[in-house]
Amino acid sequence: MFKAFVIFTFLTLKTFAAQSTSTAQLAPSSSKKLTDLFSLEFVLSAEQTKSFDSKETNGLYSTLKNSLLYRASKNDEFRLYASHVWERYDKNIRNMAYWELGEVMYRRKNILNQKDHFVSMNLELKNYWVMDSDIKEMWGFNGAFIPQAIFKKSFGRRLGTKVKVRRHYYDRNRATAGTLAKEDRIYVSGSFLFTNRFMFNAELKYRHKIYTGDHFSYRKFSYEKKDVEITTIHPAIIVFLNRKTMFEVYAETVINDSTDERTTSNIIKDEQVFGAALYLAAF
C-alpha cells in the first residue's frame, strides 16, 4: 500500500507539472539552454563523531551528496538525489563506506508569495530508499515518504528566516517496538549576510520520533518511551568563494533529549561536534 501510494502520488504530480509546462509553452518565450533546465550540485561534508560512553571524539563521519534538479516549469521542479558515506574511527570500531540514500523529490514553488501573503511557501514531496542492505537491517526500515512545507521570509537583502515542517512515514521492514514508525520534524533557521562573501546562519531542529511502542534501546542501553523528542542547534559561518562554490564551518549540539537524564549544560557540552561542508555547483 505504501509503495502504491507513493507511485500514484508522483505520477499525479508529474502529470500536473507536464500540464503546467504545456500551458507555459503556449506563451511566446525564448529557447532555454540546458543549464536553464538542469542543475547539478555536490556537497562534501565531514563531521566529528563521539563515543556514546566516554563522549570523547572517536572518528569522522563524511558524506558526498549528489543532486540533479530539473525545472519542469517556473514553479515545478523534480530532483534526483543520492548520498555516499564514509565512517572512519580511531579504534575498535569497524570503518565503513557505503551508498546510503537515494531519493526522488517533487517541489511546487510559490504556493504563497511574500508580496501578497507576508511569507513565501513551497511544498515538497520526497520519497527516499535506503540503498545499503546492512543499514536497512540496522535501521529497521527500507525508506520513507516525506511531505514537507517550507516557509520563507526576507527582511531586506541581508536578513532572512526559514521554517520547514515535515513528517516521515517509514516503510518498515520489521515491526518491533524499537522500530521508528513516524517522525515529525521542524526546522527554524535565521541568516544574516555580513558582506557579499560572508553569512551567518543558525538552525534549530526539533525531532519528534514515534516508535512502534515502548522499548529498550540497545544504542543507549536504557528503556525508552514510544515518543522521543530531541532538539539540536546548528550555528554556522558560510563563505561564498564564487558563484558556484561555498564553504561552511559549523558547530552542532543537542540542547534537549527527552530520554536523557543529564542536565542541559552537560548534554550541550557532551554532544557538541564540529564540522565543515563544501558546496559545489557543476552547472
Side-chain angles (χ1 to χ4, degrees), residues 116-166:
D116 298 326
H117 305 96
F118 184 71
V119 297
S120 66
M121 174 187 172
N122 298 340
L123 176 67
E124 294 181 351
L125 297 177
K126 304 180 181 184
N127 191 74
Y128 77 74
W129 60 96
V130 182
M131 290 191 278
D132 186 87
S133 58
D134 291 336
I135 300 299
K136 279 184 189 179
E137 180 63 25
M138 181 172 65
W139 289 353
F141 55 84
N142 301 317
F145 173 65
I146 308 169
Q148 174 171 258
I150 303 172
F151 301 90
K152 296 180 183 179
K153 172 70 176 178
S154 61
F155 302 88
R157 193 177 72 88
R158 295 189 180 277
L159 182 63
T161 60
K162 182 192 297 184
V163 177
K164 297 190 292 186
V165 181
R166 64 162 71 167

Side-chain angles (χ1 to χ4, degrees), residues 63-122:
T63 61
L64 175 62
K65 301 173 183 177
N66 313 273
S67 175
L68 177 64
L69 182 74
Y70 169 60
R71 303 177 187 88
S73 70
K74 178 182 176 181
N75 293 321
D76 298 290
E77 297 178 342
F78 294 87
R79 188 186 73 173
L80 294 176
Y81 167 92
S83 61
H84 191 273
V85 170
W86 296 268
E87 296 184 49
R88 297 289 182 267
Y89 299 98
D90 296 335
K91 58 184 178 180
N92 300 327
I93 305 176
R94 184 166 63 95
N95 295 327
M96 296 186 290
Y98 53 91
W99 284 99
E100 184 186 35
L101 303 177
E103 181 184 275
V104 291
M105 181 200 73
Y106 166 72
R107 177 186 294 133
R108 178 67 177 179
K109 300 171 63 178
N110 295 316
I111 295 174
L112 300 177
N113 64 76
Q114 182 169 316
K115 180 180 178 181
D116 298 326
H117 305 96
F118 184 71
V119 297
S120 66
M121 174 187 172
N122 298 340

Side-chain angles (χ1 to χ4, degrees), residues 147-208:
Q148 174 171 258
I150 303 172
F151 301 90
K152 296 180 183 179
K153 172 70 176 178
S154 61
F155 302 88
R157 193 177 72 88
R158 295 189 180 277
L159 182 63
T161 60
K162 182 192 297 184
V163 177
K164 297 190 292 186
V165 181
R166 64 162 71 167
R167 166 161 277 205
H168 294 229
Y169 295 92
Y170 290 104
D171 180 19
R172 295 174 295 164
N173 54 45
R174 63 173 182 261
T176 59
T179 305
L180 268 174
K182 295 182 286 290
E183 182 176 347
D184 297 318
R185 294 190 187 183
I186 301 174
Y187 300 78
V188 180
S189 62
S191 61
F192 181 79
L193 186 67
F194 292 105
T195 69
N196 290 336
R197 288 189 175 273
F198 293 93
M199 184 173 74
F200 173 77
N201 186 78
E203 181 180 77
L204 189 73
K205 179 173 69 175
Y206 166 80
R207 301 175 65 186
H208 175 208

